[in-house]
Amino acid sequence: MLRHEFRPGRAVVGLAMLGLAGGYAADAAGAWEVPWTFFLPLFLGGLWLAATVTWAAYMLRRRREARMASKEYSAGPASTSGSHAIR
C-alpha cells in the first residue's frame, strides 16, 4: 500500500533542478564554460514541463475519481425495498 500519492510534477522539477545544479557545478569547477544565460531557458523549460506533467496527472486523477464515484453510487437508495414506508 502506498504511503502517499505519487506527484510526477515534483519529480520532474527535482530532476530539472539537479541538472541545473550539475551544470553550475561543472561551470564552477571549470570543466564546462557556458554563459549564465544558457541556464535560464533550461530553468524555465523545466518549470513548464513540470507544470504540464502536474496538469496531466491532475486530469487523470480527477477522471479516475469520477469514474470510481459513479461505480460506488450506481445502486438505488436503501429505502426502495419497501421496508421503511413513509406515513
Side-chain angles (χ1 to χ4, degrees), residues 6 8 11 24 33 43 46 52 63 67 76 84:
F6 178 62
Y24 273 118
E33 294 294 327
F43 174 71
T52 304
R63 186 178 212 176
R67 207 172 351 153
H84 296 95

Side-chain angles (χ1 to χ4, degrees), residues 27-76:
D27 188 32
W32 193 27
E33 294 294 327
V34 293
W36 69 270
T37 55
F38 174 77
F39 294 106
L40 187 63
L42 293 177
F43 174 71
L44 295 175
L47 289 179
W48 179 81
L49 182 62
T52 304
V53 169
T54 299
W55 175 78
Y58 169 74
M59 294 304 286
L60 287 172
R61 192 177 325 117
R62 193 173 108 187
R63 186 178 212 176
R64 181 177 51 223
E65 288 173 358
R67 207 172 351 153
M68 293 300 286
S70 67
K71 285 181 185 176
E72 290 175 5
Y73 300 114
S74 62

Side-chain angles (χ1 to χ4, degrees), residues 2-13 15 53-54 56-58 60-61 64:
L2 295 174
R3 293 180 185 219
H4 56 84
E5 65 180 310
F6 178 62
R7 301 203 180 234
R10 291 183 182 189
V12 170
V13 165
L15 290 174
V53 169
T54 299
Y58 169 74
L60 287 172
R61 192 177 325 117
R64 181 177 51 223

